[in-house]
Each structure stands twice: as C-alpha cells, then as structure tokens.
Amino acid sequence: MLKKIFGSAVFGVEATTITVEVNVDSGIGYHLVGLPDNAIKESNYRIAAALQNNGYKIPGKKITINMAPADLRKEGSAYDLTLAIGILAASKQIIAEDLERYLIMGELSLDGSLQPIKGALPIAVKAKEEGFKGFILPSQNAKEAAIVDGLEVYGIDSIKQVINYFDKGEPLEETIINTREEFYKNLEFPEFDFSDVKGQEGIKRCMEIAAAGGHNIILIGPPGAGKTMLAKRLPSILPPMTLYEALETTKIHSVVGRVKDTGLMAQRPFRSPHHTISNVALVGGGSYPQPGEISLSHNGVLFLDELPEFKREVLEVMRQPLEDREVTISRAKFTVTYPSSFMLVASMNPSPGGYFNDPNAPVTSSPAEMQRYLSKISGPLLDRIDIHIEVTPVPFDKLSDDRKGETSVDIRKRVTKAREIQTDRFKESDVVHYNAQMNTKQIRKYCLLDDASKQLLKTAMERLNLSARAYDRILKVSRTIADLEGVEEVNGSHISEAIQYRSLDREGWLG
C-alpha cells in the first residue's frame, strides 16, 4: 500500500516541503531514495527500536521510501518521525485518514521520545503558506513554531501521542501563543547599562551617534580603557526591535537551533566571536551551508574585539556583506542567501604592546612596529567603518566618583527619536531604514551642504587624503548628528564633528 506524508527541508532561511512516499509491497528489503544523507539513512535503526518499544514493528516486507523532490539533498535526523508514521500507515498498523493535511517532523530516540529539530520557524511559515492544517513537532520547538498565526501547532513528547491521535482519535494539545503579547512581554532591558561607565563622555556621544544611524564603529585605545565595557552596553541603547525584525532574527537563529523557550526573540543579538574564528564560521557556509556569526548578528551588533588579531582573510571576507547587508553562499548545485544587516563594533590596541605613545607606559612600541600592527587591517575595510574613535584611560578622580552617569534608558529615548525621523524619511524604500544604509543617490538628496560646509569638507578631504567612500561616510554621520539634534539641514558643526570621528585617516596619527 502507498501512503504520502509531508516533511520539510530548510535551505538558507527558507523551507521547502518534502513529500515522503512510503510503499509497502510483497518481498523483503528497505530502500530509501531521494538523496538522503547518512543521518537519514541511519534512521531505520532508530525507527525500528522506537516502534518495537511502543508495541509496533517495521513489517518484514519490501519497503520503498521516496523523498521528493528527488534531486534535492535532504539532511539531518528530523525526518525520523515522518518516516515512522509513514511506515505504520502504509503497512496498515494504524488508520490515518487525514495524514496529508499535516506536516510532521521530529528526531526519534530509541524509546520513542522526541528530540528537538532545527528550523521550526521557517518550516511553520512554509506550512501555513502551503495550506497545511497543522504542524506536529517536538514540544521543545512548539513555542517557536506557534509564532505563526493560522496554523495549528502540536508539540509532542513521544511517537505514541501521534499514533494515538491518528489511530484512536485521542486529542493533542495545541500550542497557542499571542505573538504580540509575548513579544512585548520579553522587551526588558539588558543587564548592561551605560550608567556603569565612569567618564568617557566623548565616547558615549560616539556610541549614541552610531546607534542612532546604525553606523559601524571602531574603538582604539590601550588595555583597560573601557573599550569592551562600552561595546557590551551598545545594545542597551539601540531602539527596540520591531515585530518584523524580531521574526526575521528568530528565523535565522531557528535554522541553527538556537531559539530559546520564549519563542520569539525580543532582544537584539550581540555576537562576540573569538579572534581564532575561521572565515566560514564568520560569514557562513560549509558543505551544508549554515549561517555564520554575521548573519546571527542580523538586526543586532557584531563585536570584534582585538581586530588586528583576526586573520586577514577572515576580515576581508566581511567587506562585501558590510556593503550589501546580505551574504550569498554559492555551491555547485545551489545558492543560499542569508541576511546580514548588522552594526559592526570593533576594538583594537594602537600597538602590539597596547600603549599609544605613552612615555609612562610599561611597554612601548616603535612607530614602525605600530605601523606594521595597524597594517593588518586593510584600508578598504577601515573605509567601511564610519566612526573611528580613540578611547583614553579614565583618570582616578572620575573612577572614584560616586555619581551615576546617564542611563541607557535616557540615551535610548534620543536614539529612538532620531531613528523615527529616519524611518519617516525612508518610508518609500524597502531596503533603507536608517542613515548608514543610504546609497549615493540618497546621500546627495538628504545631505545637502551650504558653501561653508562644502569648503570645510573639501579642506578635510585634501588634508587627510580621504577616499570617496570616506567622504560618503562623513556625510552619513553628519546626517545622523543633525537628526539627533532634530535639525532639517546638515551644517558646518555637524560636518566638523563627523570629521573628528575619522581618527585613522589622519596623517600624523602615529607621529
């Protein structure tokens, strides 16, 4: 007897429905076709033990299972439950009338209990699109899948529950989540707050500008100056994620199986990979492509501590995703695209010893050593970073001051106000939402300068020998400073402040 049952495969951040056809015929054998990987080929051992331990068995007949479309590579152990239910239905051990109305996924343990799967959210989105009545999956993934409205989601703990549902009509408990309510409930503030930072008012101002316009920023300073401390507090002043951004971010984390029990992610991601990371781990890829750190930090912050310690080729592969805000991974048979619209925050010491031309420093480096150290970071990469700022150590009198600094809540209000201005400005565009994303045409339209400002910028360009890209960056940052002030026109004071934030472009910076 032939039975059809449905599963799903995830490619990139999108799912594709897989039709599993199970045919039980006279003869002996177990044939699994349709490009399954080793994890799926091994599933018959798990299925046999799980069925045996629950009072059922794989029939001693010829079983042929086809996973269509047959030219698409299937991977992972999430098809165990799909295949097991298909075998039981095709061998008439259970009566399953409306099996084709459900999408069923789950990895089986030998006792019939279920292990979580990856990509539950993209699969649920596709199931709803294709008109399935319900989605049956492990209970650990139920909240994540229940984010999708208009689809019945059943979280189960063992194969016995599914068998009893189809064969004996025993009801399954539907997982229902009010997505909006759940989202706003989880919008609490991160544990790190800017009020913990003593002094560093200029750097806090830079962080506020970076957050308001979504600009990439690099912090340069000696050890202990507070670079990492400042970077960790940046997510606390970013505007709250919109529901759409939260769904998009959760989708990427779902693909790698990193969504927690809350279901929808309400906090912006903050990723801080170690400098020994490979380029595949950073950008994504592998023989079965997976999102890398830059995609996992989509709509959030990617923090690269000690930037010159990263391998040069690792940093160079980031250049294109920084510009395009997405990364495309191509293989011989398929291509996947992952979104990667993140804020890059980098930190570095100005020299191998860590101290910058400080006569009292315990370790000093010669200008030649410093130049060699800085040259590990290419000019094109630095060009893509809008704000370069020097971080100096905090003097003792400020460290010992008991007064609290401005809280993240207060800074966040100003940042959110500036972002609202930008959202309104770019409401006609689908791809541009804040100043850092502006293209050349938009820069010319929204960053109009008077003659005095033009002259100021011209002088800076000639003196600092800036590239055309650096020119655009200065205009973008100026636009953000004007937005924070609530001013329509970009003026000379905004331009001069933005020029100050190009430390690494200045000649004599090493002098």
Side-chain angles (χ1 to χ4, degrees):
M1 183 180 174
L2 174 68
K3 225 20 171 167
K4 281 188 183 179
I5 186 167
F6 295 93
S8 194
V10 178
F11 292 92
V13 288
E14 302 300 327
T16 303
T17 300
I18 303 294
T19 307
V20 177
E21 299 168 318
V22 184
N23 190 62
V24 176
D25 213 341
S26 56
I28 289 179
Y30 183 92
H31 308 286
L32 183 59
V33 295
L35 279 186
D37 73 347
N38 283 337
I40 302 173
K41 286 175 186 170
E42 291 168 351
S43 65
N44 63 319
Y45 300 111
R46 290 191 294 273
I47 292 167
L51 293 183
Q52 190 76 43
N53 288 323
N54 284 277
Y56 296 88
K57 64 181 193 307
I58 290 185
K61 294 189 175 183
K62 184 182 176 185
I63 301 170
T64 307
I65 301 172
N66 178 40
M67 303 178 83
D71 61 341
L72 204 65
R73 183 91 174 146
K74 324 309 180 295
E75 58 183 75
S77 50
Y79 298 97
D80 290 1
L81 184 62
T82 325
L83 300 176
I85 298 296
I87 290 168
L88 290 176
S91 60
K92 296 187 179 176
Q93 292 182 68
I94 64 169
I95 308 299
E97 294 300 332
D98 53 352
L99 198 58
E100 293 181 16
R101 298 179 64 196
Y102 293 88
L103 203 143
I104 302 173
M105 296 289 282
E107 178 189 330
L108 282 172
S109 294
L110 300 186
D111 62 353
S113 61
L114 287 168
Q115 300 293 331
I117 62 170
K118 292 178 181 177
L121 180 55
I123 293 170
V125 170
K126 191 69 177 175
K128 187 198 170 182
E129 268 177 32
E130 300 207 341
F132 283 97
K133 179 190 175 194
F135 182 15
I136 296 171
L137 78 167
S139 54
Q140 298 97 315
N141 302 107
K143 275 194 173 179
E144 186 186 327
I147 292 167
V148 180
D149 294 330
L151 180 73
E152 293 173 17
V153 173
Y154 300 105
I156 53 158
D157 296 311
S158 81
I159 189 171
K160 193 78 176 167
Q161 287 173 267
V162 191
I163 292 170
N164 291 346
Y165 175 65
F166 286 112
D167 196 32
K168 298 174 182 172
E170 287 184 15
L172 291 174
E173 192 181 333
E174 188 180 347
T175 306
I176 298 169
I177 280 184
N178 183 329
T179 310
R180 288 181 184 279
E181 190 183 295
E182 199 74 17
F183 173 64
Y184 292 116
K185 191 171 77 183
N186 291 326
L187 270 179
E188 78 274 359
F189 277 92
E191 54 185 310
F192 301 113
D193 197 282
F194 265 97
S195 61
D196 305 330
V197 182
K198 305 282 187 184
Q200 304 290 28
E201 301 310 322
I203 319 299
K204 286 183 194 170
R205 165 76 175 162
C206 264
M207 287 291 196
E208 186 179 330
I209 293 166
H215 302 289
N216 301 324
I217 182 170
I218 184 166
L219 308 167
I220 312 135
K227 304 185 294 294
T228 307
M229 187 182 187
L230 285 156
K232 281 185 175 172
R233 280 153 181 75
L234 183 62
S236 70
I237 62 168
L238 287 169
M241 281 208 282
T242 62
L243 196 55
Y244 175 75
E245 283 177 327
L247 277 164
E248 207 177 28
T249 309
T250 309
K251 227 177 179 186
I252 298 165
H253 286 251
S254 172
V255 170
V256 290
R258 290 191 185 168
V259 176
K260 299 195 173 67
D261 290 341
T262 51
L264 199 61
M265 290 176 65
Q267 300 295 338
R268 290 187 183 274
F270 178 85
R271 306 291 300 178
S272 180
H274 192 257
H275 60 75
T276 52
I277 193 170
S278 68
N279 47 15
V280 170
L282 185 71
V283 176
S287 51
Y288 302 130
Q290 287 275 293
E293 288 289 338
I294 62 170
S295 296
L296 292 172
S297 54
H298 179 63
N299 289 325
V301 175
L302 177 68
F303 176 46
L304 301 184
D305 203 1
E306 304 302 340
L307 192 65
E309 300 299 339
F310 283 80
K311 292 195 284 289
R312 190 180 174 108
E313 68 268 22
V314 171
L315 296 177
E316 293 308 297
V317 291
M318 270 203 330
R319 277 158 55 171
Q320 177 261 335
L322 271 171
E323 205 74 11
D324 297 347
R325 300 191 177 271
E326 64 179 25
V327 58
T328 302
I329 294 153
S330 298
R331 293 289 174 268
K333 291 188 177 176
F334 57 88
T335 300
V336 295
T337 299
Y338 295 112
S340 58
S341 180
F342 59 93
M343 261 185 78
L344 174 64
V345 181
S347 77
M348 60 180 278
N349 297 323
S351 64
Y355 294 90
F356 176 46
N357 286 356
D358 182 353
N360 304 316
V363 185
T364 54
S365 306
S366 68
E369 284 176 318
M370 290 171 70
Q371 190 65 63
R372 202 177 310 119
Y373 183 72
L374 289 170
S375 68
K376 288 185 180 182
I377 306 161
S378 69
L381 182 67
L382 278 177
D383 256 0
R384 286 169 168 81
I385 298 175
D386 305 356
I387 298 173
H388 312 158
I389 190 74
E390 291 167 56
V391 183
T392 50
V394 183
F396 177 77
D397 57 337
K398 285 200 173 167
L399 273 178
S400 56
D401 193 347
D402 289 336
R403 281 177 302 180
K404 279 273 189 186
E406 195 176 19
T407 65
S408 291
V409 179
D410 295 332
I411 302 171
R412 190 186 219 183
K413 282 175 188 166
R414 295 197 294 270
V415 168
T416 306
K417 204 171 175 185
R419 281 280 180 106
E420 282 166 1
I421 293 169
Q422 293 163 51
T423 304
D424 187 54
R425 178 183 298 138
F426 304 121
K427 63 177 181 281
E428 303 298 322
S429 172
D430 292 334
V431 289
V432 179
H433 306 291
Y434 45 84
N435 291 337
Q437 296 175 322
M438 281 194 287
N439 58 33
T440 312
K441 192 175 175 184
Q442 287 160 329
I443 291 170
R444 301 290 171 266
K445 183 177 177 183
Y446 298 116
C447 306
L448 296 169
L449 304 180
D450 56 29
D451 292 339
S453 302
K454 275 184 188 165
Q455 189 55 45
L456 177 67
L457 192 49
K458 184 186 173 199
T459 309
M461 290 284 294
E462 289 167 355
R463 282 207 186 148
L464 303 177
N465 195 22
L466 298 179
S467 68
R469 191 183 270 117
Y471 169 80
D472 284 350
R473 304 276 166 193
I474 288 170
L475 287 176
K476 286 180 186 180
V477 175
S478 308
R479 178 67 268 168
T480 303
I481 296 167
D483 289 341
L484 276 167
E485 287 181 13
V487 180
E488 188 65 39
E489 299 294 325
V490 176
N491 61 39
S493 67
H494 305 140
I495 293 284
S496 56
E497 187 178 351
I499 292 166
Q500 284 175 23
Y501 302 144
R502 299 292 301 180
S503 291
L504 293 178
D505 292 331
R506 281 184 226 152
E507 280 184 25
W509 188 74
L510 294 167

